Amino acid sequence: MAQWTSAVGATQLARLLTSQQARPAGAGTRRPPAYRALADGIRLLVLEGRVPVAARLPAERELAVALSVSRTTVAAAYEALRTEGFLESRRGAGSWTAVPAGNPLPARGLEPLPPEAVGSMIDLGCAALPAPEPWLTRAVQGALEELPPYAHTHGDYPAGLPALRAMLAERYTARGIPTMPEQIMVTTGAMGAIDAICHLFAGRGERIAVESPSYANILQLMREAGARLVPVAMAEGLRGWDLDRWRQVLRDAAPRLAYVVADFHNPTGALADEDQRRKLVDAARSAGTVLVVDETMSELRLDDVEMPRPVCGFDPAGATVITVGSASKAFWAGMRIGWVRAAPDVIRSLVAARAYADLGTPVLEQLAVNWLLNTGGWNEAVNVRRDQARDNRDALVAAVRRELPDWEFEVPRGGLTLWVRTGGLSGSRLAEVGERVGIRVPSGPRFGVDGAFEGYVRLPFTVGGAVADEAAVRLAAAARLVETGAGGGMQAPQSFVA
């Protein structure tokens, strides 16, 4: 049985190789042999996630024609990649991309910083900001005032408090998506929502298509649930989804689920436009794939940009799209309230399955969110969050550009994260060495499948002012250690030249 889950055509691979940016060669530097440049180019595409792991590569003859080189050059490049562990082959099944054995995903960077380290370490691991006071305190006080009637009940509400379900339904309706309370289930954060969806729709061994890169914690949740992840590369820059790749994966891999972040994607910050949303829903419907849309970043618009319609707005029958929302990014990560919007029959199935999981979400926190939504406090708090995130983003961007001018990124217009290409340095080594100089940063492979994105790190907008300046100084110190060999380095290859 073939081990590949997607395919890259010869013309597509040739275009990707041509688009690679070469580092200028130093004086006296010899150009590598053509086969070596080709192998290095394909390796970097895999490490950056632009070609997914487990993607079938074109036959040697097809790629040779597309690149206008000899078949011998392609054969030698493929053999070099096989020797290095970046390619596997089987007679009759072709060749597909891989990563070398013994290179596990870095375990650093996303777990909360230990309390004893606060003050000595700048934490860029978690994309979460402090609570927007005084709104947290007011919400909890308001919830306590509304608690007594609920205290006389058993306290278990598997679908969520009726008042909060109705309020969330009203908010979707106000956005132009008619919604009934029966289409809402309140969960313990967005993670709880996606965990429930995965267990309902995708048993062990089922395929789930995911953006590449994608949110690290969700990828790990799906791995632990036994899913087979099928990565789909994002479009270049901040242009959202590559619809040709999505259609191909949905058609060829036939995944049971697909997970996407359409609004200020984590980690890249991309915003999918309305045309992309419509076409992806159509492609998922045609393939019989359930599309899980994570809207946790949707309210974090930092610049003056017109927001597209929600993805579920392109699924009027409600049979293809399941939407997940949360209070954790827009309000506070400590407010573990999430929700699912889906067809009523899907909600009933999720609620029934919940009896064997967590039974329900804490009543007091639901009341706090409901108080915020009812009183206008939510909008006030989100405005505070936007201002803080915008100031932090601008400070961090300026500091990184000053201290690390070779690092490349595009500034997103919303969300909480900056996706940075590290000038050919290993993101894993930067994460490891960074802790020695007092900064925690998650490496790119945390956000990919099977080791992709080695040349990236994610920088969240969680610090500003002088702390952002110091964070960039420490990142630059870590980069120097990696470059000089104290931390090890991965240098980007020259672009392939025939």
Side-chain angles (χ1 to χ4, degrees):
M1 178 179 179
Q3 300 299 306
W4 52 273
T5 57
S6 61
V8 180
T11 301
Q12 179 187 5
L13 183 56
R15 184 173 65 251
L16 290 170
L17 288 163
T18 302
S19 71
Q20 286 180 337
Q21 297 297 313
R23 280 187 168 188
T29 300
R30 296 180 60 186
R31 186 177 299 278
Y35 85 90
R36 183 68 262 173
L38 175 56
D40 287 348
I42 294 174
R43 175 176 60 83
L44 183 60
L45 289 172
V46 173
L47 290 171
E48 289 183 341
R50 297 175 66 194
V51 169
V53 175
R56 188 177 186 272
L57 295 186
E60 295 170 1
R61 188 184 303 277
E62 294 174 358
L63 185 57
V65 171
L67 293 173
S68 299
V69 299
S70 70
R71 182 177 178 182
T72 302
T73 296
V74 178
Y78 277 15
E79 180 59 30
L81 290 168
R82 275 190 289 268
T83 300
E84 296 163 5
F86 285 94
L87 195 69
E88 296 182 9
S89 303
R90 181 176 299 167
R91 184 178 298 276
S95 300
W96 55 93
T97 56
V99 292
N103 288 340
L105 292 173
R108 304 170 184 266
L110 291 181
E111 61 277 6
L113 184 67
E116 62 271 16
V118 174
S120 63
M121 185 80 69
I122 297 176
D123 186 9
L124 296 183
C126 298
L129 290 164
E133 290 287 27
W135 298 108
L136 174 62
T137 298
R138 292 180 183 177
V140 173
Q141 290 171 342
L144 287 171
E145 292 175 2
E146 297 176 7
L147 182 62
Y150 296 94
H152 293 292
T153 73
H154 50 62
D156 287 335
Y157 295 88
L161 294 184
L164 181 54
R165 296 176 73 196
M167 178 55 65
L168 292 169
E170 287 180 17
R171 286 177 62 82
Y172 278 105
T173 300
R175 295 168 67 190
I177 313 298
T179 303
M180 304 179 294
E182 292 79 9
Q183 291 178 261
I184 301 292
M185 181 177 83
V186 181
T187 62
T188 307
M191 294 286 289
I194 294 170
D195 182 60
I197 294 167
C198 288
H199 279 89
L200 180 63
F201 284 95
R204 299 192 69 83
E206 291 276 5
R207 290 177 175 175
I208 301 179
V210 295
E211 295 152 327
S212 183
S214 187
Y215 180 35
N217 288 340
I218 294 297
L219 295 181
Q220 189 59 29
L221 181 155
M222 292 175 175
R223 291 187 190 99
E224 293 183 359
R228 298 172 60 192
L229 302 184
V230 183
V232 186
M234 298 287 289
E236 284 294 306
L238 298 178
R239 293 187 289 113
W241 300 320
D242 184 328
L243 266 298
D244 289 338
R245 295 187 185 185
W246 270 104
R247 291 191 191 95
Q248 181 181 16
V249 167
L250 294 177
R251 180 182 65 248
D252 296 346
R256 184 71 182 91
L257 289 179
Y259 170 76
V260 297
V261 184
D263 301 303
F264 308 122
H265 174 261
N266 187 355
T268 68
L271 177 66
D273 61 34
E274 287 207 0
D275 187 55
Q276 290 174 327
R277 296 171 189 231
R278 179 185 298 106
K279 290 178 178 178
L280 184 56
V281 172
D282 290 344
R285 184 184 297 115
S286 297
T289 298
V290 175
L291 192 61
V292 181
V293 180
D294 188 335
E295 287 190 335
T296 55
M297 296 283 188
S298 63
E299 299 203 51
L300 292 175
R301 182 182 68 253
L302 306 184
D303 295 334
D304 186 15
V305 55
E306 183 176 353
M307 292 298 293
R309 278 191 294 165
V311 178
C312 58
F314 301 97
D315 180 36
T320 299
V321 176
I322 297 177
T323 303
V324 172
S326 172
S328 64
K329 299 299 185 185
F331 186 74
W332 185 46
M335 188 69 75
R336 304 305 304 158
I337 298 295
W339 53 86
V340 177
R341 181 202 180 273
D345 61 317
V346 173
I347 295 297
R348 287 193 294 270
S349 297
L350 289 170
V351 170
R354 194 172 194 178
Y356 307 102
D358 64 355
L359 294 178
T361 301
V363 170
L364 189 63
E365 293 184 26
Q366 293 188 70
L367 288 173
V369 171
N370 193 57
W371 183 92
L372 287 165
L373 295 173
N374 263 315
T375 62
W378 177 271
N379 291 335
E380 295 288 343
V382 169
N383 286 335
V384 171
R385 172 67 76 239
R386 286 173 179 160
D387 290 343
Q388 186 178 14
R390 184 185 304 110
D391 290 345
N392 287 355
R393 178 198 64 182
D394 295 346
L396 186 64
V397 165
V400 172
R401 283 177 170 165
R402 181 178 62 251
E403 300 293 335
L404 293 151
D406 292 337
W407 288 18
E408 302 172 33
F409 55 85
E410 292 189 47
V411 181
R413 305 183 73 179
L416 287 173
T417 57
L418 198 66
W419 186 237
V420 181
R421 184 182 294 188
T422 57
L425 300 179
S426 163
S428 299
R429 298 303 292 160
L430 282 166
E432 180 180 359
V433 175
E435 295 204 21
R436 302 184 205 165
V437 297
I439 187 164
R440 299 177 84 238
V441 56
S443 62
R446 294 296 302 272
F447 304 90
V449 176
D450 295 331
F453 303 108
E454 185 58 69
Y456 288 81
V457 294
R458 188 194 73 171
L459 305 180
F461 313 144
T462 54
V463 296
V467 181
D469 292 338
E470 179 62 20
V473 169
R474 296 185 187 186
L475 281 172
R480 285 193 296 271
L481 288 173
V482 173
E483 284 182 310
T484 57
M490 179 200 74
Q491 297 298 321
Q494 298 181 14
S495 294
F496 171 70
V497 179

